[in-house]
Amino acid sequence: MTAPTTANVLEAQGLTKSFGAFKAVDGVDLALRRGSIHALIGPNGAGKTTCFNLLTKFLTPSSGAIRFNGRDITSLDPGSIARLGMVRSFQISAVFNSMTALENVMLALQRQRGESYDFWTRKSALWVNRDTAMEHLDSVGIQHLAEVAAGDLSYGHRRALEIATTLALEPEVILLDEPTAGMGIEDVDRITRLIHDAARGRSVLMVEHNLGIVSEICDEVTVLARGRVLAQGDYASVAANQDVIEAYLGGTHV
């Protein structure tokens, strides 16, 4: 396997998305360093989710370029990007509620290994991946819930299951859209630890409102306001930026 030749695993240059006359994202430059956890933050309406959807190609940029490991991926579709090694989550947990936690992860393993991805196949065909799936469930602390239907799990446990299925795909980059939204303190702490652990050997880009999490685990932060980059750097430098303080919290320190 050829060694990476760039320090940044994911880059965006001049990324813009217009909806009529309105620019939701306006000339954003962003670089995700290899092996880092990078947060995308900003006040409501700043363009975070739109930018996230552009990077993962759920939206098509009006202009600008996106590169993954130095390769231009601007014209690729979401499926092609996932196969390259960029896997995203959504604000709403994306698991199969009628299947058990174990079956969800086994299905992800089946897809990752290039096996038949056929919903009509015998359930027994999935079980060749059982031991590996159990290891992934154990890594996120829900091995004891392996036989529970995903739809019966608590919200925090469903998000943990989503991380397990994501890791089963062996991504190089994980993109998380508000991974702790709607969680209580206990679940937030659990998912924060999982994100930190998941980042070992890979890179993470996350949209997150909880600044406590951002300050705790993120190496770099990009702040958006009105679709543009307002500041970038580590959390301490961004939190001390007067423009960020004014835009993000109306004059109160971040």
Side-chain angles (χ1 to χ4, degrees), residues 63-244:
S63 62
I66 305 167
R67 289 190 296 275
F68 177 66
N69 281 327
R71 172 183 173 180
D72 191 319
I73 62 170
T74 312
S75 63
L76 296 185
D77 60 82
S80 297
I81 286 178
R83 286 188 289 274
L84 285 176
M86 282 176 53
V87 178
R88 69 165 289 175
S89 74
F90 296 84
Q91 287 184 13
I92 300 173
S93 185
V95 295
F96 294 102
N97 286 334
S98 63
M99 299 176 70
T100 67
L102 178 60
E103 289 166 351
N104 268 276
V105 181
M106 288 193 297
L107 191 62
L109 286 166
Q110 183 187 40
R111 175 65 184 88
Q112 191 276 330
R113 294 176 178 180
E115 299 164 7
S116 175
Y117 197 54
D118 184 356
F119 284 101
W120 303 109
T121 193
R122 298 187 315 278
K123 186 180 291 187
S124 60
L126 296 175
W127 284 76
V128 66
N129 297 320
R130 184 183 188 282
D131 290 346
T132 303
M134 289 295 287
E135 290 173 7
H136 283 295
L137 291 175
D138 185 48
S139 73
V140 299
I142 59 170
Q143 186 180 35
H144 62 295
L145 300 172
E147 301 302 332
V148 176
D152 293 333
L153 296 174
S154 70
Y155 182 68
H157 285 145
R158 284 201 305 274
R159 297 311 298 244
L161 173 59
E162 186 178 43
I163 291 175
T165 59
T166 298
L167 295 178
L169 295 171
E170 299 184 8
E172 184 175 356
V173 175
I174 300 174
L175 300 106
L176 303 172
D177 192 4
E178 299 192 28
T180 66
M183 290 184 182
I185 294 175
E186 182 178 340
D187 283 335
V188 167
D189 290 343
R190 179 189 298 114
I191 296 302
T192 301
R193 291 193 299 271
L194 292 181
I195 294 169
H196 183 269
D197 292 344
R200 294 171 183 159
R202 52 181 62 87
S203 310
V204 176
L205 177 66
M206 56 190 287
V207 173
E208 182 55 63
H209 281 295
N210 188 322
L211 298 181
I213 294 172
V214 173
S215 65
E216 181 179 347
I217 66 171
C218 291
D219 303 297
E220 295 184 74
V221 180
T222 295
V223 184
L224 294 184
R226 299 183 180 89
R228 295 186 176 186
V229 174
L230 189 62
Q232 295 192 93
D234 60 31
Y235 183 81
S237 63
V238 163
N241 184 300
Q242 189 60 39
D243 291 336
V244 173

Side-chain angles (χ1 to χ4, degrees), residues 15-55:
L15 200 59
T16 299
K17 181 61 178 179
S18 298
F19 297 97
F22 173 66
K23 285 187 177 180
V25 173
D26 189 3
V28 166
D29 292 338
L30 180 70
L32 174 61
R33 284 194 296 109
R34 200 175 301 280
S36 71
I37 304 177
H38 192 130
L40 191 60
I41 69 172
N44 290 333
K48 303 182 298 297
T49 297
T50 301
C51 186
F52 196 83
N53 286 335
L54 290 170
L55 292 171

